[in-house]
Every structure is written in structure tokens, then in C-alpha cells.
Amino acid sequence: MRHIIQNLRSLLAYHIRRLHNAPATCDDTLVDEAFTMASSESDSHPTMSDIRLFPLADFVGLLGGTYEYDREHSSWVAETLFLSLAEADEDEDGTKKMGTIVELAAAMKQTVENASHEKKLELLKAYPDLCGKVEALPAESQVEQGRAGLQTLTDEERARFLSLNSAYRTKFGFPFILAVRNVTKYTVLASVEGRVGNSQEVEFVAALKQVHKIAWMRLLAAVRIKEPAGFLTCHVFDTANGTPAANMRILLHKLLDDGERVLVGEFVTNLDGRLPGGPALKGVDFQVGVYEWTFFAGDYFARIGTPMSGTPFLDVVPLRFGIDNPEDHFHVPLLVSPWSFSTYRGS
């Protein structure tokens, strides 16, 4: 944990000094204040233990906008869930069950699924149009759409999207909905092009799936997880020689929203092709986000004498992946030869 904090602090220091046009030797006061402020803001979010003790008003105040922002349209999800828990799902001490954010998300999703078709349609209609005017969007939607680059569409792209979105709304009776927090504008355009041809029944289900996905990501941003149960592991297998890839050097970086890369760890595989010392990330280090393994496959094959071309077809192999659930085990392995590689999400 210490090395991650040091790397993040160094990155923060760099940006603060660049903003203030200050030399690298300047006083660290600004850095300390900013780092403390960032840490305090993160710590201010309630934990699941806090939420279990919330009265109705606080419960709805925190979670009422998880399913869209207009609380007049969607606070019923949080309110209905709270009342159902209060009636039938309490521990002996009177506190509500649901020990994890996964259980909370599942309970909110089930609340929506149990609602009438009319209520679900009302929920879908509450979502704002993508690529709408920035000033007309709720704050969270501005962040989500901004990260997808929807405010940087070219005139041609915007015209194409607005045309498709209009056809979509006319056909289905609700706006095109997509969880855009971690996608690009190209994904958005491709998705609306693909989904506008769906039947009414198929698209209604597809839109609700996106609504649940958006709700999950908003929960992750709203709830503090003190000690994540998930962890990250890796295994490298040499498919050219049919053996574990021992003594291969691996780097792990976390990619920040602004494109910066923070070194999280450096490893050398053991005789079984695994990371020595167990998971690469666990506990408080295991955070939702985008990561990248870097495998030095060329060095490994050179060490063991496996023939390669003069200009190696595969030398350094980067593997970018996302961690979406702080409670899951993510196993991200590499199967590699001098000519090919593959991976998969294991557990």
C-alpha cells in the first residue's frame, strides 16, 4: 500500500507544481494539503456498515439518484428497497442486512425488476439524452458523458448521432441509454447504430441492462469500501514449450482518468509461472479501475533459448484490463509463445 500512495503522491505533486509553475524543489505544503483533501473526500463516503444504520431519509438521500437523477421519477427504487428491508430483512440487533455493495446493487436491481412495465418505462424516460446541452445535464451525467468524449463530437458525428437518437426515441418511446462512463464516443455511435434496429421487446430489456450498469457504477462512486474482498492474480504459461513461464519480468500499472500511468508493482514469476508472494493486488490496494500488465516475453524467450525472429514478432506484451467489482477475484493470465498470446478473465 505504501508504494502506491507514494506513487500517487508523486504524480499529484507533479501536476500541482506544473499548475503553479513551481520548481521541483518548492515547498511541499500545497502537495500535502491537496493530498489530504483528496484522502478526506474519499473517506467522507459512507460504508456499507453506515448505510445499514441509515434512516429512510438518509438512505433515499444517498441512493435515490442511483437510478437516474430526477428523484421525483426514480427515488422510489431506494424507498421501496428500504421499506422491504425494514419489514422482512433485519438482523437481531435491528440493523438491515446486506453486508456488501454487491448485495446492495442486487437488491436495488431486483426492486426494479419487480416493478410493473409502466414503472420501468417511466424510469427509462427519466434518463437524459446523450450529447445534450452540457448545462442542461445533471452534474454526474456531465462527468459520465465528458469522460466518453461526447462533448468533443465533430459536427458530422453529432449530426449522425442526433439523427439516430431521434429515430431511436420515435421508435421506442424513451431515449437511447448507454453506460458511457468507461467508453469512447465511437462506442456510443456504434451502439446506437446497432440497437436502433432491435425489436421493442429486445430493446426494452437492453435499455434496462444499461440502467443497471449505470446504477452499479454510481454505487461504486457513492459507497466507500473499507477492505475490499477481491484480489488480482496472474499466471504466465509458455505455450511454445508447454511449461510455466518462470523468471519472466512483469509490471503492473494503473491508468488514471487523465491518461497518466502509475506503477503499482514489479514482479518476476516463480517456477510455477505465478507471482511470488500471492496476489498482485488485495485489500485496500484492490480498487476499481483500468490496469495494464506489461510482460517482457522477449527477454524470457531469449533467456531459455527459444528461437525468435531477428526483429521479435512479440517482445513486450501489454495487456490492458478493467476491474469492475472490488469484491471479486480477478485472475488475468497470459498464454504466450514467440508468435502468439491470449488471455481470459479467470477467477
Side-chain angles (χ1 to χ4, degrees), residues 133-318:
K133 293 183 178 180
V134 175
E135 61 273 15
L137 297 174
E140 184 68 17
S141 192
Q142 290 183 30
V143 172
E144 292 169 347
Q145 296 196 29
R147 288 180 59 167
L150 296 186
Q151 306 306 323
T152 63
L153 291 172
T154 65
D155 290 342
E156 182 180 352
E157 290 169 339
R158 181 174 295 277
R160 175 63 175 159
F161 179 83
L162 292 177
S163 174
L164 287 166
N165 195 44
S166 176
Y168 181 100
R169 182 183 276 276
T170 299
K171 180 177 181 179
F172 299 115
F174 50 83
F176 173 71
I177 301 171
L178 184 71
V180 298
R181 181 180 289 266
N182 294 314
V183 303
T184 67
K185 63 181 182 180
Y186 305 107
T187 307
V188 176
L189 288 167
S191 296
V192 69
E193 287 174 352
R195 285 169 50 189
V196 72
N198 284 343
S199 67
Q200 185 77 31
E201 295 76 14
V202 169
E203 187 53 29
F204 191 83
V205 173
L208 281 176
K209 287 182 178 179
Q210 292 299 318
V211 163
H212 294 315
K213 189 174 179 180
I214 294 168
W216 168 248
M217 289 188 284
R218 290 177 182 171
L219 281 178
L220 289 174
V223 179
R224 179 165 59 96
I225 302 174
K226 294 176 65 176
E227 191 69 27
F231 54 100
L232 171 67
T233 57
C234 183
H235 184 213
V236 187
F237 191 80
D238 175 353
T239 57
N241 298 290
T243 61
N247 298 312
M248 181 183 291
R249 188 163 72 99
I250 306 172
L251 302 180
L252 177 63
H253 287 86
K254 183 172 185 180
L255 279 64
L256 306 183
D257 292 342
D258 61 0
E260 296 285 351
R261 291 157 51 90
V262 176
L263 179 64
V264 175
E266 184 171 356
F267 314 91
V268 176
T269 56
N270 59 22
L271 294 178
D272 193 36
R274 301 181 187 275
L275 306 184
L281 295 174
K282 63 180 180 180
V284 294
D285 291 346
F286 188 77
Q287 299 292 331
V288 168
V290 179
Y291 295 82
E292 186 173 281
W293 291 121
T294 304
F295 299 92
F296 292 87
D299 295 347
Y300 162 78
F301 287 118
R303 182 180 298 108
I304 65 174
T306 300
M308 295 185 294
S309 55
T311 300
F313 181 70
L314 291 178
D315 183 7
V316 177
V317 178

